[in-house]
Amino acid sequence: MGTGRRGLLGIAMATAVVAAAVTVTTAQAQPGGGADAVRSDCPAARAEVDRLEGRITPNACAFMERQIAFGELPTGTPPAYGDLGHPRVRAYLDIFDPDATLWEAGAEPQRGRTAIGTSITGSLALAPSLAYRGTNVVADGSTVMFGQWNEVTLKGRTVAYPQIARNVLGDEGRTLQARRYYDRAVLFRDTLPGDAPVPLFAGITDSGERDDSGRRGGEPGGGIPAGLRAAEVPDRLAAWNTEDVDALLARTAGARLSGPGLDAPLTTGAGKRAYLERLFAAADLHLKAGQVAEGTTTTYVEWHGTASGAKGTGIPFGIVERFGPGGEWELYFDTLPLVADRAEIGALFRKLAS
């Protein structure tokens, strides 16, 4: 599958628009220094995350406070499957509107609190130690991209990984529609080393010269823009759907690429090209534009739809891109359904729970 393989013909352009860790780790390090750390817009949430940016409404603040509370609350005795009265399950369900939908990596959306709550009882039974902290969070009115760093203990090993919790909010800041972007393959890499699939991006490394202008992103005359303008969304969507590596890289020239399967960002053009070409060799993407959340220094863009490849067709799939202030270009997606089919994934989770 080469660059621009399928062409533009037949692609339906969606115009509705929509990722995350950053190097800054304290509120005092935000633009404006310590003054921003004591801003009155949602100070309780601001104090608990690494960075908070954007248009922070009271609803967005209420959502973030609930999201943080669930991440910090110990599970205690794990819930029985379907026990919606468990204290931590109740805290989780308090995030959601009664009519909410929740899309998790590789699956169809769950609809309503009963389905969503039942699902989290299974997750907490498997990993009662699940905890997370907020990393880079951008609120844009009714859309919140909540970057988080998750940690769980599985088979005696600590597994840590990033996630983007993308939420569209309704009344009282409760989530009407949620999508979660993270790589499930990391759950098995060290816990089931003899059974885990070969990582999708095994062997991808930098080579050749750095693709780096020497300037920070967004600076005049160089680097990359911190965000993606609305007018660019149709072309960016087309680049993903047509596997146009040249177009994707041209927009992020000088950026450092972080993504699933990488232990360190890729800084060379050859390394970044190899990464994207590996993804496109494994999957034909059929994406639509999702939500966009724009902050002071960071923009998240969501692409959501399906992927098809050797492991299945019409697999629910999505990507979140993060464009950061210092030349960061970060991707968040699930590699597991691209390296294992549904039956193989089910077997892996059963072994993890045994």
Side-chain angles (χ1 to χ4, degrees):
M1 300 182 187
T3 300
R5 184 180 56 81
R6 287 199 301 270
L8 299 180
L9 184 61
I11 291 179
M13 293 298 179
T15 57
V17 288
V18 95
V22 294
T23 55
V24 178
T25 57
T26 66
Q28 287 80 4
Q30 297 180 55
D36 277 355
V38 295
R39 283 170 49 176
S40 61
D41 54 345
C42 208
R46 188 176 291 280
E48 296 296 326
V49 303
D50 293 346
R51 180 186 290 269
L52 174 58
E53 299 179 359
R55 186 163 57 93
I56 303 166
T57 64
N59 276 0
C61 181
F63 160 76
M64 288 185 287
E65 289 176 346
R66 295 187 185 103
Q67 182 85 358
I68 291 166
F70 171 74
E72 294 179 342
L73 183 66
T75 299
T77 302
Y81 185 73
D83 178 10
L84 305 190
H86 186 281
R88 198 168 189 205
V89 176
R90 291 202 309 268
Y92 186 67
L93 289 178
D94 194 38
I95 296 170
F96 295 93
D97 184 88
D99 296 321
T101 62
L102 169 62
W103 178 83
E104 293 276 4
E108 296 297 330
Q110 304 157 21
R111 300 184 182 278
R113 280 181 171 168
T114 298
I116 292 170
T118 300
S119 177
I120 197 63
T121 63
S123 298
L124 292 175
L126 176 67
S129 65
L130 171 66
Y132 59 77
R133 61 176 177 82
T135 54
N136 197 67
V137 182
V138 175
D140 198 340
S142 63
T143 296
V144 179
M145 293 287 197
F146 192 94
Q148 58 191 67
W149 185 254
N150 296 348
E151 290 191 3
V152 298
T153 300
L154 298 167
K155 290 193 173 295
R157 292 180 176 270
T158 298
V159 180
Y161 55 97
Q163 174 180 304
I164 303 302
R166 171 281 216 193
N167 292 266
V168 174
L169 308 179
D171 292 346
E172 299 179 319
R174 287 188 168 83
T175 295
L176 289 171
Q177 187 192 60
R179 293 181 182 144
R180 304 289 186 253
Y181 294 88
Y182 58 98
D183 185 19
R184 292 179 296 163
V186 302
L187 301 177
F188 309 104
R189 184 180 58 194
D190 296 326
T191 58
L192 298 174
D195 300 295
V198 175
L200 178 60
F201 297 107
I204 297 294
T205 59
D206 269 326
S207 62
E209 296 182 0
R210 286 176 60 92
D211 176 22
D212 193 337
S213 68
R215 299 183 178 92
R216 290 175 60 83
E219 287 186 0
I224 63 169
L228 189 75
R229 296 183 295 273
E232 297 179 84
V233 168
D235 287 344
R236 190 71 176 176
L237 175 61
W240 281 112
N241 279 330
T242 61
E243 304 178 2
D244 192 342
V245 174
D246 289 338
L248 292 169
L249 293 180
R251 176 58 177 75
T252 54
R256 301 182 301 279
L257 172 60
S258 298
L262 296 176
D263 293 327
L266 297 171
T267 62
T268 67
K272 291 184 283 187
R273 180 176 294 276
Y275 187 88
L276 292 177
E277 289 178 346
R278 180 73 60 83
L279 172 61
F280 292 141
D284 291 330
L285 304 183
H286 303 276
L287 304 177
K288 300 176 182 178
Q291 299 296 312
V292 169
E294 184 174 1
T296 307
T297 70
T298 294
T299 298
Y300 287 113
V301 186
E302 177 194 38
W303 315 107
H304 188 266
T306 63
S308 297
K311 295 300 181 176
T313 60
I315 302 164
F317 188 80
I319 297 173
V320 165
E321 296 187 82
R322 174 184 176 259
F323 300 89
E328 302 99 348
W329 174 33
E330 297 170 355
L331 304 179
Y332 298 84
F333 58 92
D334 184 23
T335 68
L336 188 60
L338 307 183
V339 296
D341 63 27
R342 189 178 296 272
E344 291 167 334
I345 293 172
L348 285 168
F349 275 104
R350 287 191 293 273
K351 288 182 179 180
L352 197 62
S354 64

